Amino acid sequence: MKILLITPPFVQLNCPYPATTQLTGAMRAHGYDCVQYDLSIESALGIFSERFLAGESGLDAVVRFLQGRDNTLATRITNGNLLPDSTVYSIEELDWAFGSSGTLDRAKHIATLYIKKLAAKIRDEITPHFDIIRYGEQIALAAAEFDEIIEAIKETNRITELIISLLRDKLHHEKPTIVGFTVPFPGCLISALQCAKYIKENHPDIRIVMGGGYVNTELRTISDKRIFDYIDYLCFDDGELPLLRIVQGGDLVRTMTRDKMSFEPCFEKFEPVPDFTGIDPSRYLSFAELANPMHRLWSDGFWNKITAAHGCYWAKCLFCDTSLDYICRYEPQSAARIVDSMERVMAQTGSSGFHFTDEALPPKLLKEIALEIIKRNLTLSYWGNIRFEKGYTTELCELLAQSGMVAASGGLEVASPRILSLINKGVTIEQARTAARNFTAAGIMVHTYLMYGFPEQTLQETIDSLDVVRNMFAAGEVQSAFWHRFARTVHSPLGEGCAQSNPFANNAVHTQEEYEYDIEGVGIVLRTATHNFMHGLGTEKSAHKWFRGVC
């Protein structure tokens, strides 16, 4: 028996999504022959090539440069002698960002803009649904019924043909008996089902499994059985136990089939053993974004994705999907085991950079990890999500920096004392500012997630929230931030009782929030102001002044 685990197009292109590495480790630990295939990066490399995009001379060289295989091309990219004249970028902006000596980063940014321009060309000339990491996302997001998905699966173009040809070659080489698709985001659903359709039609003996973040959040109450025309099993929550039962032929756990459209919770603790066997770091692309420092970190470099704990140790925020297992069931690993995994993964990939994908890294466990790294005299870098706890003291932040922590991202959310209390965030603005200040003083970059449009939040409270953010940037407490519009989900306490009975996807609660102000205009103001703050501009300007013309 052979298991083939596939990440379908398109997710991050600078490193693999963690689902297949976790599942591969679990299956191999149980003695099964399991291989993984990142169809996302392989499809992207096929698309962004001179062979696929005729007339784009120099593209293969640019891709090679973004893979870190030929840094000597940097000068040709920056002096304009390699890329087409149609590539547009601001000389003033680049001079400000990179000065006269940052040739390598400048070239990487120009190459990033070039790839984005080609993506726009593909949307115009091949399919309007194309995006580097969100291909077909709008179709899946709006899929209350499966009919819309079926129509999208039927779409054939040069990109779908390329994806299927890569899949066909991999199936021929590996000859699997089970194929598993992870669908972490809406944008991966259509390509995953197109691949599954090909397998069903050409390899009917192969059993097909599907799971991942999109399945867990959107399809828990699915009633339309037609999805099983394309797959055999729909797995929920952590994939290790459901996949293991399918492979072993035992009673199915947290799994739907055509004959059983429901499942009961059943959990067995699996210690994560990420295995990067079959992953080639030299295939991935590093991008240089200028708009947001955290987005730059996220997309630049090969980050080994790893977890310290299952679930969130707080799990009380009213807007969060706290009813779902990946948040509500908290199970930490020991620091020694985590660092063991880090050493093993470094040996496999040759990369010493780690992205902890935890919902929120606990301060106590993070301290133990730092001490373990220092004790073993390891040289590495890592970052991840945290809660702005009072436990992040000056001493702890200095220890984390010494061990290799380079960035921390945490939710300040509404940045309003009254609303923070209403949503049960469990931290105050003062605590958040102190923690952020301690991280920054230790040389650790701080990013904060923010939200606007909370139903009970007044316009004045929104303006005051921007002023909090402005002051944090002015004081050097944060270096990066991003605003999200509030949205209810059926899995959060705020969405409880609002579940809809769509035959296919059920996640977002489509209630019409009523605002006494222009919510779209407010979002534009918040993002514009914060973009300026991140570039050292406008922090002396009163928050009210940003809202002129909107309120």
Side-chain angles (χ1 to χ4, degrees):
M1 178 179 294
K2 190 170 193 177
I3 308 163
L4 173 61
L5 301 177
I6 296 175
T7 302
F10 287 98
V11 294
Q12 267 183 276
L13 300 182
N14 63 306
C15 55
Y17 192 76
T20 64
T21 60
Q22 295 280 60
L23 291 172
T24 297
M27 295 303 105
R28 286 179 167 235
H30 281 82
Y32 291 101
D33 185 4
C34 184
V35 295
Q36 55 191 318
Y37 183 50
D38 192 341
L39 183 55
S40 177
I41 185 61
E42 296 304 328
S43 298
L45 293 178
I47 292 166
F48 294 108
S49 67
E50 293 175 21
R51 180 177 179 180
F52 189 86
L53 297 176
E56 296 296 332
S57 61
L59 176 55
D60 291 348
V62 169
V63 167
R64 196 165 65 249
F65 171 75
L66 289 174
Q67 289 175 318
R69 297 184 182 212
D70 193 352
N71 289 341
T72 61
L73 287 169
T75 301
R76 288 201 64 195
I77 292 173
T78 57
N79 67 19
N81 290 332
L82 181 61
L83 301 186
D85 293 337
S86 57
T87 299
V88 178
Y89 55 89
S90 168
I91 295 295
E92 292 77 13
E93 182 183 59
L94 297 184
D95 283 344
W96 170 83
F98 304 113
S100 60
S101 60
T103 303
L104 193 61
D105 274 354
R106 181 192 291 250
K108 188 180 289 187
H109 179 61
I110 293 171
T112 300
L113 295 179
Y114 178 46
I115 295 297
K116 286 186 173 181
K117 191 173 185 68
L118 292 179
K121 179 180 179 181
I122 290 170
R123 284 193 292 274
D124 290 339
E125 298 180 0
I126 300 179
T127 171
H129 305 305
F130 181 78
D131 199 300
I132 297 175
I133 59 172
R134 290 188 291 270
Y135 186 28
E137 181 178 56
Q138 291 306 315
I139 300 172
L141 277 175
E145 298 184 357
F146 196 57
D147 300 78
E148 306 163 65
I149 302 298
I150 291 175
E151 291 305 310
I153 293 171
K154 293 177 182 177
E155 180 183 344
T156 300
N157 54 53
R158 293 177 59 215
I159 291 176
T160 59
E161 290 169 357
L162 171 66
I163 292 170
I164 295 302
S165 70
L166 291 168
L167 173 69
R168 181 180 61 243
D169 293 345
K170 192 65 175 179
L171 293 172
H172 176 75
H173 181 262
E174 300 294 348
K175 296 179 174 55
T177 50
I178 294 177
V179 172
F181 291 97
T182 179
V183 182
F185 309 115
C188 300
L189 178 66
I190 305 303
S191 59
L193 289 174
Q194 287 172 330
C195 290
K197 179 176 182 289
Y198 172 83
I199 296 173
K200 278 290 182 186
E201 292 174 349
N202 295 275
H203 302 275
D205 294 336
I206 294 177
R207 289 182 288 166
I208 304 173
V209 185
M210 182 176 287
Y214 178 85
V215 173
N216 289 333
T217 55
E218 299 278 353
L219 305 185
R220 299 183 82 86
T221 57
I222 184 175
S223 59
D224 194 325
K225 294 187 176 185
R226 288 179 294 172
I227 193 171
F228 294 105
D229 293 343
Y230 304 89
I231 63 173
D232 299 295
Y233 307 96
L234 206 55
C235 296
F236 295 85
D237 301 319
D238 292 353
E240 291 93 340
L241 186 58
L243 183 57
L244 188 61
R245 290 291 181 87
I246 291 170
V247 171
Q248 292 173 336
D251 293 336
L252 298 182
V253 170
R254 302 197 307 276
T255 301
M256 286 187 189
T257 64
R258 186 187 296 273
D259 298 326
K260 188 176 183 296
M261 295 289 288
S262 63
F263 65 93
E264 297 295 328
C266 176
F267 298 99
E268 179 178 320
K269 186 173 181 179
F270 275 78
E271 294 284 1
V273 283
D275 191 327
F276 282 72
T277 302
I279 298 294
D280 181 0
S282 69
R283 302 289 288 170
Y284 291 83
L285 306 171
S286 286
F287 296 109
E289 301 279 356
L290 281 186
N292 186 302
M294 180 55 79
H295 293 174
R296 165 70 189 269
L297 184 72
W298 185 77
S299 62
D300 190 5
F302 186 93
W303 295 98
N304 302 304
K305 294 186 183 291
I306 195 170
T307 56
H310 181 284
C312 177
Y313 68 95
W314 176 249
K316 297 178 183 178
C317 298
L318 297 187
F319 61 87
C320 190
D321 289 346
T322 52
S323 67
L324 296 182
D325 175 70
Y326 80 94
I327 290 176
C328 68
R329 182 166 57 92
Y330 176 63
E331 292 178 349
Q333 300 182 67
S334 70
R337 184 179 179 86
I338 293 165
V339 181
D340 284 345
S341 292
M342 295 172 83
E343 288 199 87
R344 182 175 60 254
V345 169
M346 282 194 291
Q348 289 180 330
T349 66
S351 171
S352 62
F354 289 87
H355 172 198
F356 281 96
T357 59
D358 297 63
E359 293 302 303
L361 289 162
K364 182 176 182 296
L365 179 56
L366 202 49
K367 178 180 179 179
E368 294 170 355
I369 293 170
L371 290 171
E372 190 71 21
I373 291 171
I374 293 169
K375 183 178 76 173
R376 300 189 192 190
N377 196 30
L378 299 177
T379 300
L380 48 80
S381 304
Y382 65 92
W383 60 281
N385 292 334
I386 54 96
R387 285 171 49 78
F388 288 119
E389 300 276 8
K390 60 184 179 181
Y392 286 111
T393 62
T394 299
E395 294 75 20
L396 177 55
C397 290
E398 289 175 350
L399 176 71
L400 296 176
Q402 181 187 352
S403 69
M405 191 173 194
V406 296
S409 56
L412 187 53
E413 316 305 355
V414 288
S416 165
R418 185 180 74 89
I419 308 298
L420 279 174
S421 177
L422 280 179
I423 65 177
N424 201 23
K425 183 65 183 177
V427 298
T428 66
I429 291 175
E430 291 74 20
Q431 286 175 348
R433 293 193 66 171
T434 299
R437 190 181 308 123
N438 291 337
F439 276 116
T440 298
I444 298 171
M445 183 179 75
V446 178
H447 170 86
T448 184
Y449 297 103
L450 300 152
M451 71 167 73
Y452 67 98
F454 188 80
E456 297 187 42
Q457 188 174 25
T458 66
L459 178 58
Q460 184 58 55
E461 284 175 319
T462 303
I463 295 171
D464 293 342
S465 296
L466 180 62
D467 211 44
V468 170
V469 175
R470 178 182 69 85
N471 284 320
M472 293 180 74
F473 273 100
E477 294 163 354
V478 296
Q479 295 74 48
S480 177
F482 190 81
W483 293 88
H484 304 262
R485 181 169 170 178
F486 168 78
R488 298 177 192 262
T489 74
V490 298
H491 311 297
S492 69
L494 287 175
E496 190 175 5
C498 300
Q500 300 172 37
S501 55
N502 297 327
F504 188 62
N506 289 277
N507 182 36
V509 177
H510 299 290
T511 57
Q512 190 64 42
E513 306 288 0
E514 294 185 2
Y515 300 99
E516 297 178 351
Y517 52 88
D518 177 6
I519 187 65
E520 298 297 336
V522 164
I524 293 171
V525 169
L526 293 171
R527 288 188 288 271
T528 300
T530 304
H531 175 82
N532 278 272
F533 300 161
M534 286 188 289
H535 290 77
L537 304 171
T539 54
E540 76 292 341
K541 182 178 177 180
S542 168
H544 281 88
K545 294 182 179 179
W546 289 100
F547 283 87
R548 285 177 179 171
V550 176
C551 60

